[in-house]
Amino acid sequence: MTSSASLTNLEDQIAIEHAALLVIDMQNGFVSPEGDMAGFGFDLSMVADVTPRLASFIEQARQLGVFIVHTRVINDASQNPPSWSAFWGPPAVTVEGSWGAEFAPGF
């Protein structure tokens, strides 16, 4: 197989060398019971349930050679439009350099 045009069957399409695992915003501010979202009163019970399973899934994917991409959101007042700040106020969660912006343990 020399190009993506040759990915015509399901077996080729789902092969590990054509896959990626995207892990989105697993940051302290969002997922930790000590994080800002919990402090705002959000129920993180579903996050607590899925976090260890996700960490295990990532490890299994890593062992199989799956390409893994971790993303994180950084709130920055200079990047937010005025409408965002008018609705939400100044950034308080996942601010650059804060503990909340860092990846949660295991991620």
Side-chain angles (χ1 to χ4, degrees):
M1 195 166 15
T2 59
S3 75
S4 62
S6 61
L7 299 177
T8 57
N9 65 54
L10 183 60
E11 184 177 331
D12 288 339
Q13 292 172 357
I14 64 171
I16 287 176
E17 61 268 16
H18 302 130
L21 173 60
L22 304 177
V23 183
I24 311 296
D25 299 346
M26 295 302 291
Q27 295 164 262
N28 290 320
F30 293 135
V31 305
S32 172
E34 293 83 33
D36 291 318
M37 298 308 279
F40 295 146
F42 286 89
D43 178 6
L44 299 182
S45 59
M46 288 192 308
V47 174
D49 290 343
V50 76
T51 299
R53 294 187 309 218
L54 178 58
S56 175
F57 182 72
I58 293 168
E59 184 53 38
Q60 290 173 37
R62 184 174 287 119
Q63 290 175 8
L64 291 170
V66 174
F67 183 70
I68 301 170
V69 177
H70 293 262
T71 70
R72 65 185 184 127
V73 65
I74 297 297
N75 282 307
D76 179 346
S78 69
Q79 300 295 317
N80 291 348
S83 58
W84 175 274
S85 297
F87 185 79
W88 292 106
V93 179
T94 66
V95 175
E96 182 66 59
S98 70
W99 172 84
E102 298 304 318
F103 288 113
F107 299 98

XYZ file of all heavy atoms in Angstrom:
806
model
N 0.842 -1.164 0.000
C 0.000 0.000 0.000
C 0.894 1.236 0.000
O 1.735 1.400 0.852
C -0.856 -0.065 1.253
C -1.983 0.842 1.252
S -3.221 0.504 2.541
C -2.418 -0.603 3.673
N 0.676 2.133 -0.960
C 1.563 3.282 -1.073
C 0.882 4.625 -0.864
O 1.553 5.618 -0.721
C 2.241 3.289 -2.467
O 1.223 3.331 -3.459
C 3.117 2.068 -2.651
N -0.450 4.642 -0.853
C -1.122 5.923 -0.644
C -2.443 5.711 0.079
O -2.960 4.601 0.145
C -1.363 6.628 -1.979
O -2.434 6.003 -2.667
N -2.972 6.806 0.605
C -4.249 6.699 1.299
C -5.370 6.329 0.346
O -6.397 5.827 0.764
C -4.559 8.005 2.031
O -4.665 9.063 1.098
N -5.187 6.543 -0.938
C -6.215 6.174 -1.917
C -6.433 4.668 -1.946
O -7.476 4.202 -2.382
C -5.824 6.687 -3.298
N -5.457 3.905 -1.490
C -5.584 2.446 -1.522
C -6.270 1.893 -0.272
O -6.380 0.693 -0.122
C -4.215 1.799 -1.709
O -3.376 2.134 -0.643
N -6.737 2.765 0.612
C -7.424 2.317 1.825
C -8.902 2.097 1.505
O -9.780 2.829 1.935
C -7.275 3.341 2.943
C -5.857 3.638 3.405
C -5.848 4.715 4.470
C -5.191 2.379 3.927
N -9.171 1.044 0.762
C -10.534 0.816 0.294
C -11.308 -0.185 1.136
O -12.523 -0.234 1.053
C -10.520 0.331 -1.164
O -9.710 -0.851 -1.238
C -9.963 1.410 -2.089
N -10.618 -0.984 1.938
C -11.367 -1.936 2.756
C -11.197 -1.594 4.234
O -10.252 -0.919 4.639
C -10.963 -3.385 2.450
C -9.526 -3.678 2.820
O -9.123 -3.454 3.952
N -8.755 -4.196 1.863
N -12.141 -2.070 5.016
C -12.164 -1.742 6.439
C -10.886 -2.179 7.150
O -10.354 -1.455 7.994
C -13.390 -2.365 7.109
C -13.571 -2.051 8.585
C -13.705 -0.548 8.808
C -14.775 -2.783 9.141
N -10.382 -3.334 6.832
C -9.171 -3.836 7.493
C -8.011 -2.861 7.324
O -7.276 -2.584 8.280
C -8.805 -5.213 6.939
C -7.627 -5.848 7.641
C -7.322 -7.247 7.115
O -8.239 -7.934 6.648
O -6.146 -7.633 7.185
N -7.829 -2.340 6.122
C -6.761 -1.362 5.890
C -7.056 -0.039 6.597
O -6.159 0.600 7.150
C -6.579 -1.095 4.397
C -5.945 -2.261 3.666
O -5.292 -3.100 4.326
O -6.116 -2.346 2.434
N -8.305 0.365 6.606
C -8.680 1.649 7.190
C -8.472 1.688 8.692
O -8.147 2.742 9.247
C -10.137 1.972 6.858
C -10.354 2.251 5.388
C -11.827 2.369 5.036
O -12.695 2.197 5.875
N -12.102 2.657 3.777
N -8.662 0.578 9.375
C -8.532 0.578 10.834
C -7.197 0.020 11.314
O -7.001 -0.166 12.506
C -9.705 -0.171 11.507
C -9.701 -1.655 11.124
C -11.028 0.494 11.186
C -10.689 -2.490 11.904
N -6.286 -0.218 10.416
C -4.963 -0.706 10.797
C -4.272 0.311 11.709
O -4.442 1.523 11.559
C -4.117 -0.964 9.556
N -3.520 -0.183 12.671
C -2.872 0.687 13.667
C -2.026 1.770 13.013
O -1.996 2.904 13.487
C -2.049 -0.163 14.657
C -3.016 -0.896 15.582
C -1.070 0.687 15.443
C -2.377 -1.847 16.547
N -1.376 1.458 11.919
C -0.524 2.479 11.291
C -1.325 3.620 10.668
O -0.760 4.636 10.264
C 0.425 1.853 10.254
C -0.259 1.162 9.101
C -0.495 -0.329 9.351
O -0.411 -0.787 10.500
O -0.760 -1.035 8.366
N -2.650 3.485 10.618
C -3.507 4.557 10.101
C -4.390 5.149 11.190
O -5.309 5.908 10.902
C -4.402 4.031 8.967
C -3.631 3.458 7.846
N -3.893 2.223 7.318
C -2.568 3.936 7.155
C -3.034 1.960 6.362
N -2.219 2.983 6.252
N -4.136 4.805 12.433
C -4.995 5.232 13.535
C -4.292 6.250 14.419
O -3.066 6.327 14.446
C -5.393 4.016 14.377
N -5.092 7.003 15.130
C -4.585 7.910 16.161
C -5.611 7.938 17.287
O -6.813 7.818 17.053
C -4.379 9.316 15.613
N -5.124 8.070 18.484
C -5.974 8.218 19.657
C -5.855 9.661 20.117
O -4.756 10.130 20.423
C -5.541 7.265 20.774
C -6.238 7.413 22.112
C -7.742 7.194 21.984
C -5.634 6.461 23.130
N -6.972 10.374 20.142
C -6.993 11.759 20.594
C -7.490 11.799 22.034
O -8.579 11.314 22.326
C -7.907 12.603 19.717
C -7.605 12.586 18.222
C -8.625 13.410 17.465
C -6.200 13.076 17.952
N -6.697 12.384 22.910
C -7.041 12.511 24.321
C -7.204 14.010 24.578
O -6.243 14.764 24.504
C -5.950 11.904 25.231
C -6.357 11.988 26.687
C -5.649 10.465 24.817
N -8.437 14.412 24.865
C -8.782 15.830 24.885
C -8.938 16.358 26.314
O -9.739 15.849 27.095
C -10.106 16.074 24.113
C -10.099 15.409 22.732
C -10.428 17.563 24.029
C -9.078 15.949 21.765
N -8.174 17.380 26.658
C -8.359 18.196 27.858
C -8.404 17.423 29.177
O -9.182 17.757 30.075
C -9.632 19.048 27.737
C -9.596 20.018 26.571
O -8.504 20.239 26.018
O -10.662 20.548 26.213
N -7.568 16.422 29.329
C -7.495 15.698 30.603
C -6.559 16.471 31.529
O -5.452 16.057 31.837
C -7.039 14.253 30.373
C -8.030 13.426 29.579
S -9.669 13.326 30.324
C -9.341 12.341 31.766
N -7.044 17.632 31.959
C -6.271 18.565 32.763
C -6.829 18.635 34.180
O -8.026 18.433 34.406
C -6.329 19.952 32.118
C -5.657 20.008 30.754
C -6.056 21.255 29.997
O -6.933 21.191 29.163
N -5.402 22.380 30.297
N -5.943 18.965 35.112
C -6.330 19.050 36.519
C -7.570 19.910 36.738
O -8.463 19.542 37.500
C -5.175 19.601 37.358
C -4.039 18.629 37.474
O -4.224 17.433 37.624
N -2.815 19.158 37.411
N -7.637 21.049 36.101
C -8.754 21.966 36.303
C -10.096 21.383 35.908
O -11.133 21.778 36.442
N -10.075 20.436 34.981
C -11.316 19.824 34.501
C -11.648 18.512 35.203
O -12.817 18.212 35.409
C -11.235 19.552 32.995
C -11.184 20.784 32.144
C -10.277 20.862 31.103
C -12.035 21.849 32.359
C -10.234 21.991 30.287
C -11.990 22.981 31.559
C -11.081 23.054 30.514
N -10.641 17.703 35.531
C -10.917 16.329 35.960
C -10.605 16.030 37.423
O -11.072 15.025 37.946
C -10.203 15.293 35.058
C -10.563 15.511 33.599
C -8.697 15.336 35.229
N -9.867 16.879 38.083
C -9.484 16.601 39.469
C -10.575 17.061 40.440
O -11.167 18.136 40.256
C -8.187 17.330 39.815
O -7.922 17.217 41.197
N -10.803 16.294 41.504
C -11.742 16.748 42.536
C -11.277 18.029 43.228
O -12.069 18.718 43.849
C -11.795 15.591 43.534
C -11.019 14.483 42.968
C -10.273 14.963 41.760
N -9.991 18.352 43.112
C -9.459 19.605 43.668
C -9.411 20.710 42.619
O -8.948 21.817 42.899
C -8.046 19.391 44.236
C -7.995 18.501 45.460
C -7.981 17.016 45.086
O -7.421 16.652 44.047
O -8.571 16.227 45.849
N -9.859 20.424 41.406
C -9.787 21.386 40.313
C -10.892 22.425 40.331
O -11.853 22.336 41.102
N -10.751 23.392 39.451
C -11.695 24.501 39.398
C -13.116 24.061 39.069
O -14.073 24.587 39.640
C -11.237 25.536 38.367
C -9.981 26.261 38.795
O -9.890 26.626 39.992
O -9.090 26.466 37.956
N -13.286 23.126 38.145
C -14.638 22.713 37.771
C -15.374 22.101 38.958
O -16.547 22.396 39.185
C -14.606 21.749 36.587
C -14.021 22.358 35.327
S -14.761 23.926 34.835
C -16.213 23.337 34.025
N -14.684 21.284 39.729
C -15.291 20.729 40.951
C -15.601 21.854 41.930
O -16.658 21.861 42.564
C -14.367 19.693 41.578
N -14.693 22.808 42.031
C -14.906 23.941 42.924
C -16.105 24.788 42.530
O -16.744 25.409 43.388
N -16.427 24.807 41.223
C -17.604 25.539 40.746
C -18.891 24.754 40.983
O -19.974 25.236 40.700
C -17.486 25.864 39.266
C -16.371 26.809 38.916
C -15.695 26.672 37.724
C -15.997 27.836 39.771
C -14.673 27.538 37.378
C -14.972 28.713 39.433
C -14.309 28.562 38.233
N -18.746 23.509 41.454
C -19.928 22.704 41.753
C -20.302 21.689 40.695
O -21.344 21.044 40.814
N -19.490 21.529 39.661
C -19.785 20.537 38.632
C -19.607 19.129 39.196
O -18.671 18.867 39.950
C -18.884 20.718 37.404
C -19.267 21.899 36.566
C -18.728 23.146 36.833
C -20.158 21.765 35.511
C -19.072 24.252 36.060
C -20.505 22.862 34.734
C -19.960 24.105 35.014
N -20.497 18.238 38.828
C -20.434 16.838 39.251
C -19.402 16.118 38.381
O -19.611 15.952 37.176
C -21.811 16.189 39.096
C -21.815 14.717 39.471
O -20.789 14.198 39.954
O -22.866 14.083 39.267
N -18.316 15.704 38.973
C -17.250 15.027 38.231
C -17.279 13.516 38.431
O -16.308 12.832 38.122
C -15.889 15.580 38.651
C -15.652 17.066 38.409
C -14.234 17.455 38.823
C -15.924 17.449 36.971
N -18.385 12.988 38.912
C -18.431 11.553 39.195
C -18.211 10.713 37.940
O -17.538 9.685 38.002
C -19.752 11.173 39.874
O -20.858 11.498 39.065
N -18.753 11.148 36.799
C -18.521 10.375 35.567
C -17.062 10.459 35.147
O -16.508 9.490 34.637
C -19.437 10.861 34.448
C -20.883 10.472 34.668
S -21.956 10.705 33.226
C -21.647 12.383 32.763
N -16.448 11.595 35.366
C -15.028 11.754 35.042
C -14.207 10.819 35.920
O -13.292 10.145 35.436
C -14.581 13.222 35.223
C -13.085 13.364 35.025
C -15.336 14.134 34.274
N -14.537 10.763 37.198
C -13.806 9.877 38.118
C -13.946 8.421 37.698
O -13.003 7.641 37.833
C -14.317 10.068 39.543
N -15.100 8.060 37.164
C -15.315 6.681 36.706
C -14.499 6.351 35.458
O -13.969 5.260 35.326
C -16.798 6.435 36.400
C -17.664 6.407 37.644
O -17.116 6.258 38.759
O -18.896 6.534 37.495
N -14.403 7.291 34.543
C -13.757 7.000 33.259
C -12.239 7.205 33.293
O -11.516 6.580 32.511
C -14.391 7.831 32.126
C -13.933 9.275 32.150
C -14.108 7.216 30.773
N -11.739 8.044 34.191
C -10.311 8.388 34.196
C -9.390 7.177 34.285
O -8.481 7.044 33.447
C -10.015 9.409 35.300
O -10.783 10.579 35.035
C -8.562 9.774 35.349
N -9.576 6.249 35.228
C -8.659 5.099 35.273
C -8.795 4.193 34.042
O -7.807 3.643 33.565
C -9.032 4.351 36.546
C -10.306 4.930 37.023
C -10.509 6.246 36.340
N -10.009 4.077 33.519
C -10.192 3.243 32.313
C -9.526 3.893 31.109
O -8.923 3.211 30.283
C -11.681 3.008 32.050
C -12.334 2.176 33.140
C -13.740 1.812 32.804
N -14.508 2.987 32.412
C -15.765 3.195 32.724
N -16.427 2.319 33.423
N -16.382 4.286 32.329
N -9.621 5.208 31.009
C -8.973 5.911 29.910
C -7.461 5.781 30.002
O -6.790 5.536 28.998
C -9.386 7.383 29.882
C -8.733 8.244 28.798
C -9.010 7.676 27.400
C -9.214 9.679 28.898
N -6.910 5.934 31.202
C -5.460 5.781 31.376
C -5.012 4.390 30.953
O -3.981 4.231 30.285
C -5.067 6.064 32.820
N -5.777 3.370 31.303
C -5.459 1.997 30.902
C -5.555 1.831 29.389
O -4.703 1.199 28.764
C -6.407 1.024 31.607
O -6.201 -0.290 31.156
N -6.597 2.414 28.805
C -6.780 2.343 27.352
C -5.611 3.005 26.624
O -5.094 2.478 25.636
C -8.105 3.006 26.978
C -8.427 2.961 25.515
C -8.790 1.763 24.918
C -8.383 4.108 24.743
C -9.097 1.715 23.569
C -8.689 4.071 23.398
C -9.047 2.877 22.805
N -5.182 4.157 27.123
C -4.041 4.853 26.519
C -2.791 3.989 26.598
O -2.039 3.872 25.623
C -3.811 6.220 27.201
C -4.969 7.168 26.895
C -2.482 6.829 26.774
C -4.978 8.420 27.756
N -2.560 3.359 27.733
C -1.388 2.500 27.887
C -1.446 1.323 26.923
O -0.441 0.967 26.307
C -1.250 2.023 29.324
C 0.000 1.202 29.582
C 1.295 1.884 29.126
O 1.431 3.108 29.264
O 2.185 1.164 28.626
N -2.598 0.728 26.779
C -2.745 -0.382 25.834
C -2.507 0.090 24.406
O -1.836 -0.598 23.624
C -4.130 -1.009 25.967
C -4.330 -1.765 27.267
C -5.767 -2.222 27.435
O -6.423 -2.595 26.482
N -6.259 -2.178 28.666
N -3.039 1.244 24.058
C -2.825 1.796 22.718
C -1.340 2.072 22.493
O -0.800 1.786 21.418
C -3.646 3.072 22.543
N -0.688 2.612 23.506
C 0.750 2.898 23.408
C 1.534 1.613 23.144
O 2.427 1.567 22.298
C 1.222 3.582 24.687
C 2.679 4.020 24.654
C 3.047 4.831 25.885
N 2.455 6.155 25.799
C 1.576 6.657 26.659
N 1.192 5.946 27.700
N 1.101 7.870 26.501
N 1.197 0.534 23.865
C 1.877 -0.746 23.687
C 1.668 -1.316 22.285
O 2.529 -2.022 21.757
C 1.419 -1.748 24.745
C 1.918 -1.403 26.135
C 1.358 -2.320 27.213
O 0.701 -3.307 26.941
N 1.624 -1.965 28.458
N 0.524 -1.005 21.678
C 0.240 -1.467 20.325
C 0.870 -0.588 19.252
O 0.842 -0.922 18.076
C -1.276 -1.537 20.092
C -2.004 -2.621 20.871
C -3.513 -2.436 20.745
C -1.583 -4.001 20.391
N 1.411 0.543 19.666
C 2.053 1.441 18.711
C 1.113 2.459 18.091
O 1.436 3.048 17.061
N -0.036 2.682 18.702
C -0.975 3.680 18.189
C -0.398 5.073 18.434
O 0.170 5.348 19.491
C -2.354 3.544 18.880
C -3.291 4.666 18.477
C -2.975 2.188 18.563
N -0.543 5.944 17.462
C -0.117 7.332 17.583
C -1.091 8.032 18.533
O -2.303 8.009 18.322
C -0.128 8.006 16.208
C 0.364 9.416 16.207
C 1.697 9.698 16.430
C -0.505 10.458 15.973
C 2.164 11.000 16.425
C -0.058 11.771 15.965
C 1.275 12.035 16.181
N -0.574 8.641 19.602
C -1.420 9.244 20.629
C -1.170 10.753 20.657
O -0.027 11.202 20.708
C -1.142 8.629 22.010
C -1.401 7.113 21.952
C -1.995 9.293 23.083
C -0.945 6.355 23.162
N -2.265 11.505 20.626
C -2.198 12.964 20.664
C -2.960 13.439 21.897
O -4.132 13.118 22.063
C -2.836 13.584 19.402
C -2.818 15.102 19.481
C -2.154 13.076 18.140
N -2.275 14.173 22.766
C -2.914 14.796 23.929
C -3.089 16.280 23.626
O -2.145 16.930 23.173
C -2.028 14.662 25.168
C -1.850 13.262 25.654
N -2.589 12.745 26.686
C -1.022 12.271 25.242
C -2.227 11.495 26.904
N -1.279 11.185 26.046
N -4.282 16.795 23.877
C -4.500 18.235 23.733
C -4.851 18.817 25.087
O -5.280 18.113 25.997
C -5.650 18.560 22.758
O -6.892 18.185 23.340
C -5.450 17.855 21.416
N -4.646 20.111 25.216
C -5.082 20.805 26.415
C -5.513 22.204 26.014
O -4.994 22.780 25.053
C -4.005 20.841 27.498
C -2.781 21.628 27.157
C -1.724 21.499 28.253
N -0.596 22.360 27.927
C -0.092 23.260 28.748
N -0.608 23.430 29.952
N 0.920 24.004 28.395
N -6.474 22.719 26.726
C -6.948 24.071 26.480
C -6.250 25.007 27.463
O -6.049 24.652 28.629
C -8.493 24.171 26.601
C -8.958 23.884 28.004
C -8.978 25.526 26.144
N -5.836 26.128 26.955
C -5.250 27.169 27.795
C -6.127 28.404 27.653
O -6.334 28.894 26.542
C -3.800 27.501 27.370
C -2.894 26.287 27.537
C -3.275 28.711 28.134
C -2.750 25.803 28.974
N -6.681 28.853 28.764
C -7.492 30.070 28.741
C -6.576 31.277 28.902
O -5.763 31.335 29.814
C -8.536 30.038 29.864
C -9.700 29.158 29.499
O -10.295 29.332 28.438
N -10.025 28.211 30.343
N -6.755 32.208 27.994
C -5.905 33.391 27.949
C -6.797 34.585 27.601
O -7.400 34.619 26.525
C -4.828 33.186 26.886
C -3.888 34.355 26.729
O -4.177 35.460 27.225
O -2.843 34.170 26.076
N -6.894 35.524 28.512
C -7.776 36.676 28.303
C -7.472 37.399 27.000
O -8.380 37.916 26.346
C -7.671 37.638 29.486
N -6.203 37.427 26.593
C -5.858 38.143 25.365
C -6.325 37.397 24.112
O -6.367 37.971 23.028
C -4.347 38.384 25.293
O -3.654 37.153 25.105
N -6.687 36.129 24.256
C -7.147 35.332 23.120
C -8.672 35.173 23.082
O -9.219 34.762 22.078
C -6.511 33.939 23.151
C -5.007 33.944 23.078
C -4.498 34.481 21.752
O -5.025 34.148 20.701
N -3.489 35.333 21.791
N -9.341 35.463 24.187
C -10.791 35.309 24.254
C -11.481 36.526 23.648
O -11.093 37.662 23.927
C -11.256 35.139 25.700
C -10.819 33.823 26.300
O -10.354 32.936 25.607
N -10.962 33.698 27.603
N -12.540 36.305 22.873
C -13.281 37.449 22.340
C -14.048 38.148 23.467
O -14.335 37.537 24.506
C -14.245 36.809 21.332
C -14.396 35.399 21.784
C -13.085 35.026 22.426
N -14.384 39.402 23.282
C -15.131 40.137 24.318
C -16.427 39.436 24.724
O -16.804 39.473 25.897
C -15.410 41.496 23.675
C -14.339 41.652 22.654
C -14.038 40.264 22.154
N -17.084 38.765 23.786
C -18.337 38.076 24.114
C -18.090 36.950 25.119
O -18.919 36.708 25.995
C -18.999 37.523 22.852
O -18.121 36.629 22.190
N -16.957 36.267 25.000
C -16.613 35.199 25.946
C -16.451 35.783 27.353
O -17.030 35.299 28.319
C -15.325 34.509 25.498
C -14.817 33.482 26.465
C -14.018 33.709 27.547
C -15.091 32.091 26.466
N -13.762 32.540 28.209
C -14.411 31.524 27.563
C -15.829 31.255 25.637
C -14.451 30.180 27.858
C -15.866 29.907 25.927
C -15.186 29.378 27.024
N -15.664 36.843 27.434
C -15.407 37.460 28.738
C -16.672 38.064 29.324
O -16.881 38.009 30.539
C -14.319 38.523 28.602
O -13.107 37.918 28.194
N -17.546 38.615 28.482
C -18.796 39.197 28.972
C -19.685 38.118 29.577
O -20.354 38.351 30.582
C -19.527 39.910 27.840
N -19.679 36.933 28.988
C -20.524 35.850 29.486
C -19.888 35.123 30.660
O -20.520 34.909 31.682
C -20.833 34.861 28.356
C -21.796 33.783 28.747
C -23.155 34.036 28.785
C -21.349 32.519 29.098
C -24.053 33.046 29.156
C -22.240 31.524 29.475
C -23.599 31.785 29.503
N -18.609 34.719 30.505
C -17.939 33.879 31.497
C -17.104 34.659 32.499
O -16.721 34.116 33.537
C -17.022 32.867 30.802
C -17.752 31.843 30.016
C -17.837 31.779 28.654
C -18.478 30.716 30.509
N -18.583 30.702 28.280
C -18.992 30.019 29.408
C -18.758 30.241 31.779
C -19.755 28.877 29.527
C -19.520 29.089 31.904
C -20.015 28.428 30.787
N -16.743 35.865 32.164
C -15.829 36.620 33.017
C -14.388 36.306 32.644
O -14.122 35.608 31.660
N -13.448 36.782 33.427
C -12.033 36.532 33.097
C -11.707 35.043 33.245
O -12.349 34.335 34.021
C -11.270 37.373 34.117
C -12.229 37.633 35.218
C -13.615 37.591 34.626
N -10.721 34.575 32.481
C -10.342 33.156 32.570
C -9.987 32.759 33.999
O -9.269 33.475 34.696
C -9.120 33.053 31.666
C -9.233 34.195 30.732
C -9.900 35.292 31.524
N -10.526 31.614 34.433
C -10.248 31.124 35.781
C -9.786 29.678 35.760
O -9.172 29.215 36.711
C -11.498 31.253 36.653
N -10.075 28.966 34.694
C -9.755 27.536 34.588
C -8.687 27.360 33.518
O -8.748 27.990 32.472
C -11.019 26.726 34.223
C -10.713 25.247 34.081
C -12.114 26.951 35.251
N -7.747 26.502 33.760
C -6.671 26.150 32.826
C -5.935 27.382 32.288
O -5.692 27.510 31.107
C -7.174 25.254 31.665
O -8.093 25.965 30.827
C -7.810 23.979 32.189
N -5.571 28.256 33.181
C -4.774 29.429 32.836
C -3.316 28.989 32.730
O -2.828 28.213 33.562
C -4.961 30.534 33.899
C -4.051 31.718 33.621
C -6.425 30.958 33.966
N -2.632 29.474 31.711
C -1.233 29.093 31.471
C -0.401 29.231 32.741
O -0.483 30.221 33.457
C -0.617 29.976 30.387
C 0.821 29.600 30.044
C 0.955 28.229 29.403
O 0.355 27.993 28.354
O 1.671 27.368 29.976
N 0.373 28.185 33.035
C 1.253 28.176 34.191
C 0.595 27.722 35.479
O 1.270 27.558 36.488
N -0.714 27.509 35.445
C -1.412 27.091 36.662
C -1.431 25.571 36.777
O -1.291 24.852 35.787
C -2.855 27.615 36.657
O -3.637 26.937 35.675
N -1.621 25.091 37.996
C -1.773 23.653 38.232
C -2.950 23.107 37.435
O -2.885 22.021 36.881
C -1.954 23.408 39.740
C -2.299 22.008 40.088
C -1.421 20.978 40.254
C -3.604 21.467 40.326
N -2.113 19.811 40.567
C -3.450 20.098 40.617
C -4.883 22.019 40.305
C -4.523 19.273 40.888
C -5.966 21.195 40.578
C -5.772 19.836 40.868
N -4.028 23.871 37.347
C -5.215 23.441 36.621
C -4.976 23.232 35.138
O -5.663 22.432 34.507
N -4.013 23.920 34.567
C -3.713 23.765 33.136
C -2.863 22.530 32.835
O -2.813 22.087 31.685
C -2.996 25.013 32.620
N -2.225 21.995 33.852
C -1.357 20.829 33.649
C -2.185 19.567 33.422
O -3.311 19.455 33.902
C -0.436 20.643 34.855
C 0.497 21.806 35.097
C 1.359 22.121 33.890
O 1.873 21.187 33.242
O 1.518 23.323 33.583
N -1.594 18.617 32.707
C -2.266 17.337 32.500
C -2.454 16.645 33.856
O -1.573 16.703 34.710
C -1.460 16.419 31.578
C -1.472 16.879 30.141
C -0.326 17.333 29.537
C -2.653 16.829 29.398
C -0.330 17.759 28.216
C -2.656 17.269 28.069
C -1.508 17.728 27.492
N -3.605 16.026 34.023
C -3.877 15.279 35.247
C -2.907 14.096 35.331
O -2.417 13.612 34.303
C -5.321 14.788 35.240
N -2.614 13.611 36.540
C -1.702 12.468 36.674
C -2.159 11.284 35.807
O -3.350 10.969 35.732
C -1.803 12.118 38.161
C -2.189 13.409 38.816
C -3.096 14.089 37.828
N -1.211 10.697 35.134
C -1.510 9.569 34.249
C -1.778 9.961 32.821
O -1.939 9.111 31.944
N -1.822 11.268 32.564
C -2.087 11.739 31.200
C -0.980 12.630 30.700
O -0.891 13.088 29.673
C -3.435 12.472 31.143
C -4.567 11.572 31.516
C -5.087 11.576 32.791
C -5.077 10.672 30.585
C -6.117 10.727 33.137
C -6.100 9.818 30.954
C -6.627 9.845 32.224
